[in-house]
Amino acid sequence: TLTGYAAHLLGKEEDARAYAQLAAQVREAFRREYVSPSGRVISETQTAYVIALMMDMLTPEQRNTAIEHLAERLRIDHVMLTTGFLGTPYICPVLSACGLNEYAYTLLLQKECPSWLFEVSMGATTVWERWNSILPDGSISGTGMNSLNHYAYGSIVDWMYRNLCGLNPVEEAPGFKKAVIRPMPDARLSWAKMKLDSAAGTYRIEWKYVDGQLHGSVTVPFDCQAQLLLPDGTQRQLTAGTYVF
């Protein structure tokens, strides 16, 4: 799908049609082989559902059922991560996009291994290659491949920027000349703040809960625009400046 879209943007319409047709065939083959008519993925793991949802491999009806099965799978797993390199980068973004944002926060805030905060509790300042690269007794795991600064599980930070704080680029305005700001807070986290030095300037977003009420601010850099979407449904079109909500 992405290759076909790239071909379209480059004006190569014949290639775009060919890749679009191939993408449709791959989706159909995937659904025929791995998905029940109701939307149950044969490999009922967190990663199987996350990848199917992230890559848009399901029909709308199957998608709704798959979201329910993913939530069920997480409950069975006590809302603990069972994902590896393929599933972990996508699980929190998928949960937030599918109406299961509370599960994404639960995964973020877990403190037992496997979790990000287990690593923090072990003194980590970077994210490891394996959930158990350092064991509870402080020794290095004997499993091998124990990078202590690795991209795959560290991808949770992308979710923090895009979903927790809510800063997202706009495709037709590269370099964050325009942005969509859609914070997705959870009261279990009392506050959050971020700063991004983009090609177009510095964006700042912060929010906090005060007596159960959500308060926050957004800073849009000079000569930029942003659409602000708040959890209560409020929408605002912003130009450069700092705004309080």
Side-chain angles (χ1 to χ4, degrees):
T1 299
L2 286 176
T3 304
Y5 184 49
H8 168 69
L9 293 177
L10 293 171
K12 299 180 180 295
E13 296 302 334
E14 184 176 348
D15 289 339
R17 288 190 293 271
Y19 284 118
Q21 182 179 9
L22 177 60
Q25 292 171 347
V26 169
R27 285 193 181 92
E28 176 58 32
F30 176 86
R31 291 194 290 261
R32 186 172 58 248
E33 186 72 20
Y34 297 112
V35 186
S36 75
S38 66
R40 186 179 293 276
V41 179
I42 289 176
S43 176
E44 291 194 70
T45 63
Q46 292 178 22
T47 293
Y49 282 110
V50 165
I51 294 297
L53 290 164
M54 183 72 187
M55 301 301 176
D56 194 24
M57 301 298 287
L58 309 173
T59 66
E61 295 78 12
Q62 290 173 337
R63 182 178 180 85
N64 291 334
T65 305
I67 291 170
E68 295 175 3
H69 288 318
L70 175 57
E72 178 186 20
R73 180 72 261 168
L74 283 163
R75 290 191 292 270
I76 292 171
D77 295 334
H78 307 290
V79 199
M80 296 287 292
L81 289 159
T82 64
T83 49
F85 276 24
L86 292 181
T88 300
Y90 299 131
I91 187 166
C92 284
V94 163
L95 290 170
S96 294
C98 292
L100 299 172
N101 194 52
E102 70 275 15
Y103 285 92
Y105 271 88
T106 299
L107 292 175
L108 175 71
L109 298 174
Q110 289 284 12
K111 295 181 179 179
E112 298 179 14
C113 185
S115 72
W116 292 284
L117 292 188
F118 169 76
E119 300 180 14
V120 173
S121 72
M122 294 298 296
T125 56
T126 52
V127 184
W128 309 335
E129 183 175 9
R130 294 179 179 270
W131 296 118
N132 63 342
S133 284
I134 297 179
L135 302 176
D137 64 4
S139 63
I140 297 290
S141 168
T143 51
M145 295 195 304
N146 284 307
S147 166
L148 300 184
N149 185 8
H150 209 266
Y151 77 95
Y153 299 160
S155 60
I156 186 61
V157 178
D158 182 68
W159 174 82
M160 292 178 179
Y161 275 87
R162 288 178 179 266
N163 297 94
L164 190 152
C165 287
L167 180 63
N168 290 272
V170 173
E171 183 177 333
E172 63 267 21
F176 283 90
K177 196 69 174 177
K178 293 183 179 179
V180 173
I181 300 174
R182 185 188 293 110
M184 303 180 72
D186 187 299
R188 288 174 291 174
L189 195 65
S190 59
W191 63 270
K193 63 172 63 177
M194 60 139 287
K195 181 182 79 168
L196 178 70
D197 293 325
S198 75
T202 300
Y203 283 85
R204 299 177 188 269
I205 303 169
E206 59 181 276
W207 53 257
K208 62 182 177 180
Y209 281 94
V210 179
D211 297 328
Q213 295 289 323
L214 180 66
H215 299 261
S217 67
V218 171
T219 298
V220 179
F222 173 74
D223 200 31
C224 293
Q225 301 175 39
Q227 181 184 23
L228 177 63
L229 305 172
L230 295 178
D232 65 0
T234 300
Q235 299 188 29
R236 296 179 62 185
Q237 297 294 329
L238 310 179
T239 54
T242 297
Y243 304 84
V244 176
F245 60 87

